[in-house]
């Protein structure tokens, strides 16, 4: 347990202090140098595989270079939930069809179900969330990732929203 | 121009076992698939302890000890920790589709809390909310809340102590919060306040807070003036 704790604080320092060196951050160094950063928009990398796609249930998936998808919930979702106190995540090896329930997040005495954005197999879950579920609120696109999965059917990605479409979707809900 | 207020059907179940209430909630949850049909289930349970999504703090041995007291015990998938339900406690399960209200679980829970604060105020009791979800009178919890939400459809709900036998709570740390107590409408007012007396106030407050129209389901008990 102590070793885990040390690892946790080491890795979170690593992410916050040295963001440009981590592959999972979507910002590309080239883009940062050439354009000013505009507040609310997530900067997308010039590499298409690192762009976020969103579901209408406010989950995001980011396909990494190795073809594995990292899954989390959006800023809109974590705000609508409130402070997350518990993450119920699947076992590694779980087979999921698109839209299958894969877990739940608990906040304000409410358990909200999570739905798989794609068909695939769970290859990793974010064990940091066991001791630090608040990461889902504090860093929903980075340290608060929920699980990683294989992409069984890449065509399913086409049906998901890109960042611009998702921003429009949120605005339409908020009206 | 504002939209039409959502309609919520009030379903008075009377005294039902916990598993039966779960089964009935699922019926109403499933009903949402064929269009919005919000429901508000009202009932009382025979003595039962229930735990939520976080079941690790409650091993089988502890639950068995609670069974020896003569209560049923159930694990559930709602939020919140361990609590007790029993006669004299008004249990309310709103099965709403949040798309008809606001798609935020945090908002929904907050509105439930405000509804109960309003009910207490109608009885002349000053209740409040705190960082611990639920409704409090001072340091004592008068109403517990524990919700489940899947595809924006809510289930589980709240439990307001009217004239509950509070001694059942002595065997658990209610909702996992040490150092706080529990109370009831009767304990606060020093007179008997029944579930029957409380229901109309709850329905009024709910209709107001959620800005919805409540209708009564046509059930057999209705014709004789139902008691929940």
């Amino acid at each position: 347990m102590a070793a885990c704790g040390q690892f946790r604080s080491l890795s979170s320092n690593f992410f916050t202090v040295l963001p440009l060196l981590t592959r999972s951050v979507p910002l590309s160094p080239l883009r940062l140098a050439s354009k000013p950063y505009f507040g609310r928009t997530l900067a997308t990398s010039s590499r298409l595989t690192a762009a976020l796609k969103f579901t209408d249930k406010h989950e995001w998936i980011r396909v990494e270079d190795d073809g594995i998808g990292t899954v989390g919930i959006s800023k809109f979702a974590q705000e609508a939930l409130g402070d997350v106190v518990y993450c119920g995540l699947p076992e590694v090896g779980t087979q999921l069809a698109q839209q299958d329930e894969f877990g739940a997040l608990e906040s304000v005495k409410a358990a909200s179900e999570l739905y798989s954005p794609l068909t695939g197999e769970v290859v990793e879950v974010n064990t940091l969330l066991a001791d630090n579920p608040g990461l889902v609120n504090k860093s929903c696109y980075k340290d608060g990732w929920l699980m990683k999965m294989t992409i069984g059917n890449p065509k399913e990605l086409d049906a998901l929203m890109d960042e611009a479409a998702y921003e429009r979707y949120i605005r339409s809900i908020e009206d | 121009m504002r939209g039409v207020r959502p309609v919520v059907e009030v379903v008075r179940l009377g005294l039902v076992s916990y598993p039966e209430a779960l089964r009935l909630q699922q019926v109403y949850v499933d009903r949402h698939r064929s269009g919005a049909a919000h429901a508000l289930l009202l009932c009382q349970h025979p003595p039962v302890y229930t735990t939520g999504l976080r079941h690790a703090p409650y091993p089988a041995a502890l639950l068995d000890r609670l069974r020896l007291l003569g209560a049923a015990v159930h694990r559930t998938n709602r939020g919140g920790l361990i609590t007790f339900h029993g006669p004299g406690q008004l249990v309310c399960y709103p099965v709403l589709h949040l798309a008809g209200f606001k798609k935020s679980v945090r908002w929904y829970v907050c509105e439930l809390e405000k509804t109960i604060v309003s009910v207490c105020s109608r009885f002349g009791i000053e209740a409040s909310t705190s960082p611990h979800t639920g409704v409090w009178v001072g340091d004592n919890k008068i109403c517990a809340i524990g919700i489940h939400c899947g595809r924006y459809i809510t289930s589980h709900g709240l439990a307001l102590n009217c004239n509950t036998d509070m001694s059942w709570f002595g065997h658990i740390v209610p909702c996992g919060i040490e150092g706080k107590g529990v109370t009831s409408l009767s304990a606060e007012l020093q007179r008997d306040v029944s579930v029957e007396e409380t229901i109309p106030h709850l329905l009024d407050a709910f209709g107001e807070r959620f800005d919805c129209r409540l209708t009564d389901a046509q059930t057999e008990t209705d014709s004789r003036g139902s008691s929940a």
Side-chain angles (χ1 to χ4, degrees), chain A residues 89-103:
Chain A
L89 296 173
E91 302 272 313
V92 167
T94 305
Q95 300 289 335
L96 297 168
Q98 190 177 37
Q99 295 194 38
D100 270 356
E101 186 224 322
F102 73 85

Side-chain angles (χ1 to χ4, degrees), chain A residues 42-57:
Chain A
L42 302 164
T44 50
S45 164
S46 54
R47 293 170 299 146
L48 288 175
T49 50
L52 295 177
K53 301 286 304 255
F54 295 83
T55 71
D56 63 351
K57 295 196 180 44

Side-chain angles (χ1 to χ4, degrees), chain A residues 79-80 106 109 111 113 115, chain B residues 54 80 106 147-149 151:
Chain A
E79 271 168 7
E106 185 180 342
K109 301 288 173 84
E113 283 179 0
Y115 299 95
Chain B
R54 285 175 283 164
R106 179 185 188 180
I147 297 298
H148 179 270
C149 186
R151 300 180 203 275

Side-chain angles (χ1 to χ4, degrees), chain B residues 20-76:
Chain B
E20 178 61 9
L22 283 181
R23 190 189 69 77
L24 287 165
Q25 281 179 77
Q26 194 57 49
V27 169
Y28 286 94
V29 165
D30 292 341
R31 210 175 65 161
H32 277 287
R33 267 194 233 126
S34 35
H38 311 293
L40 191 76
L41 279 52
L42 298 172
C43 65
Q44 292 183 68
H45 293 310
V48 59
Y49 291 98
T50 66
T51 61
L53 187 64
R54 285 175 283 164
H55 52 77
Y58 310 109
L62 183 148
L63 300 181
D64 282 339
R65 277 202 302 277
L66 294 175
R67 286 191 179 92
L68 292 175
L69 300 169
V73 171
H74 275 277
R75 294 197 193 273
T76 79

Side-chain angles (χ1 to χ4, degrees), chain A residues 56-58 76 78-82 85-86 99-101 104-113 115 169 173, chain B residues 53-54 77-81 103-107 109 132-133 141 145-152 175 177:
Chain A
D56 63 351
K57 295 196 180 44
H58 311 286
F76 180 88
Q78 65 82 17
E79 271 168 7
L81 281 179
V85 300
Y86 176 75
Q99 295 194 38
D100 270 356
E101 186 224 322
L105 299 179
E106 185 180 342
S107 62
V108 296
K109 301 288 173 84
S112 300
E113 283 179 0
Y115 299 95
Y169 173 63
I173 301 177
Chain B
L53 187 64
R54 285 175 283 164
N77 65 357
R78 59 161 172 76
L81 293 167
K103 283 178 170 180
S104 163
V105 152
R106 179 185 188 180
W107 170 89
V109 170
H132 297 293
T133 301
K141 185 180 273 194
I145 292 177
I147 297 298
H148 179 270
C149 186
R151 300 180 203 275
Y152 296 117
C175 310
I177 305 168

